Amino acid sequence: MQKTEPIAENHVTITRPLFYEGMRSMGKKSSQKGIKKLILLLIVLYFLIAAWILYKGGSLFTLAGETIMIAVLLLWMTFFLPRNRWKTRYKALSQDSQTPPERTVRFYENSLTVTGNSCKTTDIAYSKVTGWQETKHLYILECAENIRVLISKEGFTSGDFELVKNHFPLK
């Protein structure tokens, strides 16, 4: 890919709250589908077992225990499991360092580059951008191969997102 002068540049310090904001936004889409299906299956299974217990004249104490167990399992699956995954991902992103990771994203005519703390640069052609989302503090580019690029709304040192998004092959 031929590089010229960047049309825009963005610098983002990925703090834990900013990372969680991005993860919450992305979690609303594809990554939560499996968990939602499992939760639905557990709820259906719960009602089937509850109906069976009541039909057979079983103990309401057993039904109460089952209700508490399912409630705790659902709470863990919807709140605690995603948080643990986010903590693990953030730790990997920050490479076990105490300083938040930083990224510089440079937008060129046909592609963008992402440079991290380690000075490793990743080139992404605009043709690989499949979508984008907006949160309170971020723009999140969704790219092929399950790559996400966080862009701080406040981090543009030159250009802006309006200029950049016109280069994406999206509508």
Side-chain angles (χ1 to χ4, degrees):
M1 287 179 230
Q2 181 184 17
K3 297 287 183 259
T4 58
E5 286 296 311
I7 57 174
E9 184 171 308
N10 186 278
H11 180 77
V12 59
T13 300
I14 306 171
T15 60
R16 192 175 297 266
L18 201 60
F19 182 76
Y20 287 0
E21 178 181 324
M23 293 303 290
R24 268 191 306 278
S25 175
M26 290 184 284
K28 292 177 185 171
K29 286 193 166 192
S30 61
S31 66
Q32 294 292 330
K33 283 183 182 177
I35 289 177
K36 286 180 182 177
K37 287 180 182 178
L38 188 58
I39 289 171
L40 183 62
L41 179 66
L42 282 172
I43 291 172
V44 169
L45 188 60
Y46 167 77
F47 283 114
L48 288 173
I49 292 171
W52 180 256
I53 288 172
L54 294 175
Y55 174 74
K56 287 294 190 176
S59 165
L60 291 180
F61 183 72
T62 304
L63 185 58
E66 178 191 351
T67 303
I68 291 170
M69 183 186 76
I70 291 292
V72 168
L73 184 60
L74 292 176
L75 181 70
W76 179 77
M77 288 175 62
T78 55
F79 294 107
F80 298 112
L81 180 63
R83 282 270 183 188
N84 285 339
R85 286 182 180 167
W86 299 348
K87 285 179 184 178
T88 302
R89 286 183 182 174
Y90 186 78
K91 190 174 182 180
L93 181 68
S94 63
Q95 300 170 346
D96 293 328
S97 170
Q98 295 300 322
T99 59
E102 297 182 12
R103 301 287 184 267
T104 300
V105 183
R106 289 184 182 89
F107 299 92
Y108 296 94
E109 199 62 39
N110 298 315
S111 66
L112 63 99
T113 62
V114 181
T115 307
N117 292 15
S118 64
C119 298
K120 179 185 172 210
T121 300
T122 303
D123 291 322
I124 302 172
Y126 290 141
S127 60
K128 302 252 182 191
V129 176
T130 58
W132 62 273
Q133 296 180 41
E134 183 176 359
T135 68
K136 184 175 181 181
H137 300 102
L138 297 169
Y139 295 109
I140 304 168
L141 295 182
E142 301 168 3
C143 305
E145 300 169 16
N146 206 22
I147 296 172
R148 305 286 194 275
V149 179
L150 300 179
I151 301 167
S152 172
K153 288 183 174 180
E154 308 297 321
F156 280 95
T157 56
S158 65
D160 61 13
F161 192 72
E162 291 300 318
L163 175 69
V164 170
K165 76 178 183 181
N166 293 330
H167 288 79
F168 303 151
L170 309 168
K171 294 186 184 212

